[in-house]
Amino acid sequence: MAALRKGFIDTGKIAPVLPALALADFSLKSRTGFKGSGAASWLAAQGLVLPDDPNQACTDAQGRMVARLSWGEFLLLGDFAGLEKAWSYESAPMCFPLPRQDSHAWIVVSGEVAPKMMAKICGIDLRPQVFPKGAIAQTSVARLNAIIIADQIGGRGGFHLLSDGSTSQYLWDCLVDAMLEFEGAPVRSEALSKETHGQTDAQG
Amino acid sequence: MKIMNCPLNGPRNISEFAYGGEVKPVPAADAPTPDWADYVYYHDNQPGIVREWWLHVPTSYWFVAVRDVTSDKIIATYRPEEAPP
């Protein structure tokens, strides 16, 4: 029987149609990670294409995202259950699982005006000309530590935000407040997930 | 806002960093207690250019900064596994 998952966030009122700036809670979707000096070589041996440098992300043929957070730390967004099953202490030297499902909330912001909105709560320049698709910033967002990944979400520019689950309601409320002046609003994750990570909520 | 260059993440606001003490050699595991007490509790605290441990908090990444503690100017930062500049 599949394990039941509970979200971190009370999303509040959901917009019936997709607004120009949208916010969605992806926390029920699958994600995991691996860390260690042997992580890159083991993941590559499993057939994953890895970004060459830290703070870069790439998307595979199935729409899953591989984010390289440092020389030896990887965040995997999407269904990587096969990798988790393949891992063992003996078969993956100096490579250790770093589960993210229960530690980090996954919030998505989508819309061309998203960098302008994020500038209110984050000190990093997230405009697409300096922070293109696949760029990662691990920084402070609304005074919380967060991972920001630029991507095309729902057919337009946007960001994945991963932040501590225990403070995710605060972050969500800050984002909802910040997007008010841009007429942004929360939407259901299905509204943005068709082109993202090749999975549905039922799978995740 | 003061800016520090993190070797992993690039330039970031100083508010994202935490100070971790002077860089000094770790005594051997069987070193005398006074040596360990000196390592844990005492600091040179001299003016001039010093090497210090700093932490980029959002990534829990430790690195070394070369800083002039008289002028509070950060001269260089580098990965701990690299040779000092």
Side-chain angles (χ1 to χ4, degrees):
Chain A
M1 190 178 84
L4 294 175
R5 286 182 184 164
K6 189 174 181 302
F8 294 104
I9 298 166
D10 175 5
T11 57
K13 194 177 174 188
I14 295 291
V17 292
L18 188 64
L21 181 61
L23 183 68
D25 179 15
F26 273 33
S27 296
L28 293 178
K29 295 180 182 297
S30 297
R31 58 197 172 280
T32 188
F34 290 91
K35 186 175 185 176
S37 57
S41 54
W42 185 75
L43 290 171
Q46 305 308 305
L48 246 63
V49 176
L50 307 176
D52 293 330
D53 296 313
N55 287 321
Q56 294 292 322
C58 60
T59 306
D60 70 8
Q62 299 169 58
R64 305 176 304 178
M65 183 171 275
V66 178
R68 187 168 201 160
L69 301 182
S70 74
W71 293 274
E73 183 176 346
F74 296 85
L75 167 67
L76 307 176
L77 298 179
D79 185 3
F80 289 88
L83 267 185
E84 290 176 306
K85 279 183 189 161
W87 181 89
S88 72
Y89 185 78
E90 293 77 18
S91 66
M94 295 307 291
C95 171
F96 308 99
L98 192 61
R100 301 283 194 167
Q101 194 72 48
D102 300 313
S103 63
H104 283 64
W106 179 3
I107 296 173
V108 161
V109 182
S110 165
E112 302 307 331
V113 77
K116 206 169 180 180
M117 185 273 282
M118 289 294 291
K120 295 170 69 178
I121 52 174
C122 175
I124 303 297
D125 187 351
L126 299 175
R127 290 175 300 166
Q129 60 268 37
V130 286
F131 196 78
K133 180 182 174 183
I136 299 176
Q138 301 174 77
T139 186
S140 178
V141 177
R143 301 201 173 212
L144 296 173
N145 297 330
I147 302 165
I148 308 172
I149 308 172
D151 195 9
Q152 284 288 312
I153 305 166
R156 51 197 193 174
F159 306 108
H160 302 278
L161 301 176
L162 289 110
S163 187
D164 194 316
S166 61
T167 47
S168 56
Q169 186 68 56
Y170 165 78
L171 178 59
W172 179 271
D173 293 343
C174 286
L175 288 164
V176 169
D177 181 67
M179 69 201 316
L180 275 179
E181 68 174 285
F182 303 101
E183 297 178 350
V187 297
R188 290 194 185 283
S189 62
E190 295 89 334
L192 296 176
S193 60
K194 284 177 187 170
E195 297 169 34
T196 307
H197 308 108
Q199 63 175 358
T200 65
D201 280 346
Q203 289 170 312
Chain B
M1 179 69 80
K2 195 175 176 68
I3 303 289
M4 186 184 249
N5 188 52
C6 171
L8 173 62
N9 297 285
R12 289 287 194 272
N13 289 341
I14 200 72
S15 61
E16 293 191 17
F17 297 94
Y19 173 72
E22 296 166 358
V23 175
K24 46 189 179 179
V26 183
D30 57 354
T33 302
D35 288 6
W36 272 103
D38 182 61
Y39 174 73
V40 174
Y41 295 111
Y42 294 103
H43 308 284
D44 288 343
N45 201 26
Q46 294 295 310
I49 295 172
V50 295
R51 291 195 302 140
E52 299 168 327
W53 287 106
W54 281 83
L55 172 72
H56 182 244
V57 177
T59 47
S60 297
Y61 180 72
W62 285 99
F63 61 95
V64 179
V66 182
R67 187 169 69 100
D68 186 334
V69 295
T70 311
S71 63
D72 195 22
K73 185 171 190 263
I74 298 159
I75 297 160
T77 56
Y78 60 95
R79 296 168 62 185
E81 56 268 37
E82 288 177 345

